[in-house]
């Protein structure tokens, strides 16, 4: 069994999926590279280590972070559950979320004690 190493992004499932998928793709590439170098085990190991390090850093981190930044902001500003989840960690942003997230505004409200609850 192979452990799948990926990052999770709580505001962007798309970025989480991309991170996991890119790791699996890099792993499959490394297995393919190793199979193609059946004559040279040392070459296959070196290529596998380099391929894994490069693919994981480039795809699973940098591109997924960019996707998460763009997609996460969009989710927070347009979807009620992501707006609610964001406000659990950043209660000071309530006025901003209410002003940009219409779905959140319809579904949730702030109570007198500062808690956010469903309408």
């Amino acid at each position: 069994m192979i452990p799948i190493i990926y990052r999770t992004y709580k505001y962007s499932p798309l970025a989480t999926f991309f991170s996991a998928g890119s790791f699996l793709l890099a792993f499959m590439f490394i297995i393919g590279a190793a199979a193609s170098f059946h004559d040279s085990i040392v070459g296959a190991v070196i290529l596998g280590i380099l391929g894994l390090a490069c693919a994981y850093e480039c795809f699973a981190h940098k591109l997924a972070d960019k996707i998460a930044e763009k997609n996460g902001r969009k989710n927070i500003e347009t979807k009620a559950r992501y707006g609610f989840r964001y406000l659990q960690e950043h209660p000071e942003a309530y006025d901003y979320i209410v002003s940009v997230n219409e779905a959140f505004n319809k579904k949730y409200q702030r109570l007198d004690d500062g808690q956010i609850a469903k309408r």
Side-chain angles (χ1 to χ4, degrees), residues 1-107:
M1 185 82 180
I2 303 164
I4 299 173
I5 302 168
Y6 64 95
R7 283 186 176 179
T8 58
Y9 299 89
K10 62 174 95 172
Y11 305 119
S12 179
L14 179 65
T16 301
F17 178 73
F18 181 80
S19 178
S22 64
F23 178 80
L24 289 174
L25 185 64
F27 181 75
M28 290 179 359
F29 175 74
I30 290 166
I31 295 298
S36 68
F37 287 124
H38 57 79
D39 293 335
S40 172
I41 298 297
V42 174
V45 170
I46 291 171
L47 181 64
I49 291 171
L50 289 174
L52 180 61
C54 292
Y56 185 70
E57 180 58 31
C58 290
F59 292 112
H61 291 156
K62 293 181 182 178
L63 290 177
D65 287 348
K66 288 181 182 180
I67 292 170
E69 183 179 328
K70 183 178 179 182
N71 187 258
R73 177 62 51 194
K74 184 186 98 175
N75 286 342
I76 290 168
E77 292 178 350
T78 60
K79 296 179 181 175
R81 69 181 172 147
Y82 291 106
F84 178 76
R85 191 180 297 171
Y86 182 77
L87 287 175
Q88 296 300 310
E89 295 178 13
H90 307 283
E92 71 280 357
Y94 179 80
D95 293 331
Y96 171 73
I97 296 297
V98 168
S99 69
V100 296
N101 191 333
E102 187 178 321
F104 175 83
N105 201 15
K106 290 179 181 177
K107 192 170 184 177

